[in-house]
Amino acid sequence: NVTKAMGINVAFNIEKKDDKKILIDITGDSLGVLIGKRGQTLDALQYLTSLAVNRGDGFVSITLDTEDYRKRRRETLENLAKNIAGKVKTTKKRVILEPMSAYERRIIHYALQNDKFVITHSEGLEPFRNVVISPKKDKPSAPEKPERDKKYQSKNSGAKQPPKDGGHTSRYGSHKSKSEKEVQV
């Protein structure tokens, strides 16, 4: 009914993958209108179809596709991820991608999950959530200690030495814990 209201003459090929997954392949004319900009119309139709199918008990995953759009978009996003990762590796600067759906962000994260030189994360709020691709740090460096802490470090080890009496050291000297203090009766 929705495609008829849009004025598009289409046919549906419904393939049941298993009890929980259904693939609906749409064929016909003027399918670019059905896909929309970056698949937004197709995603919206898939969402509405999923709501209609899953009104009752249980859940069935619905995937709407036409002209192998989902496969082509996946390949495009994987290539984009690899190209941007190459740019991040050479420039050592993070790159923020345009806002994407959760499904598309997942493709980017998955494509780069085993890359040794970059990491990915998402930031922002829906519907403007972006993937950020950043260079991995080789070794996390310890933050520089302020000068005041350096003067209390041992010259040999570079670290504070515990007091020999079993207490703790503060800038005011060695102290024993309450349990080790002498109790006056």
Side-chain angles (χ1 to χ4, degrees):
N1 290 338
V2 173
T3 56
K4 284 180 186 173
M6 293 174 72
I8 302 172
N9 187 21
V10 295
F12 299 97
N13 179 26
I14 300 171
E15 181 182 338
K16 193 171 182 179
K17 296 284 189 178
D18 58 37
D19 290 341
K20 299 289 182 184
K21 292 183 182 179
I22 296 175
L23 171 66
I24 302 172
D25 189 39
I26 305 169
T27 56
D29 299 327
S30 303
L31 296 176
V33 173
L34 200 59
I35 294 171
K37 183 180 179 184
R38 292 191 185 98
Q40 291 176 336
T41 306
L42 191 61
D43 289 342
L45 290 170
Q46 179 174 299
Y47 176 70
L48 291 173
T49 305
S50 181
L51 287 177
V53 169
N54 290 304
R55 275 189 289 188
D57 293 334
F59 178 80
V60 178
S61 174
I62 303 291
T63 302
L64 245 57
D65 198 6
T66 183
E67 298 178 340
D68 279 336
Y69 173 77
R70 301 275 183 208
K71 180 182 175 186
R72 289 183 292 123
R73 182 68 176 156
R74 174 183 273 290
E75 289 170 356
T76 300
L77 290 171
E78 288 171 347
N79 288 333
L80 172 71
K82 291 173 185 169
N83 290 338
I84 297 296
K87 180 180 176 182
V88 168
K89 290 173 194 175
T90 57
T91 64
K92 305 275 192 248
K93 293 183 180 180
R94 73 186 205 143
V95 173
I96 302 172
L97 301 179
E98 64 189 30
M100 296 179 190
S101 67
Y103 172 76
E104 291 182 341
R105 290 194 312 269
R106 197 173 306 118
I107 292 170
I108 300 287
H109 293 306
Y110 185 75
L112 297 177
Q113 74 179 358
N114 294 323
D115 193 299
K116 295 177 183 176
F117 303 103
V118 298
I119 56 173
T120 64
H121 71 276
S122 295
E123 57 184 41
L125 300 173
E126 294 291 352
F128 305 107
R129 202 154 162 77
N130 310 67
V131 173
V132 179
I133 303 173
S134 306
K136 275 187 183 174
K137 306 287 185 215
D138 290 17
K139 294 179 185 174
S141 58
E144 184 63 27
K145 293 189 179 216
E147 277 300 314
R148 64 178 181 80
D149 287 348
K150 287 182 181 178
K151 68 181 178 181
Y152 295 105
Q153 293 178 347
S154 167
K155 291 180 183 176
N156 297 334
S157 69
K160 290 183 180 180
Q161 296 295 320
K164 294 185 182 359
D165 63 0
H168 68 277
T169 302
S170 73
R171 79 166 67 170
Y172 303 109
S174 177
H175 299 281
K176 289 186 177 183
S177 66
K178 280 187 173 181
S179 63
E180 295 174 341
K181 288 183 181 179
E182 292 180 13
V183 180
Q184 293 182 348
V185 182

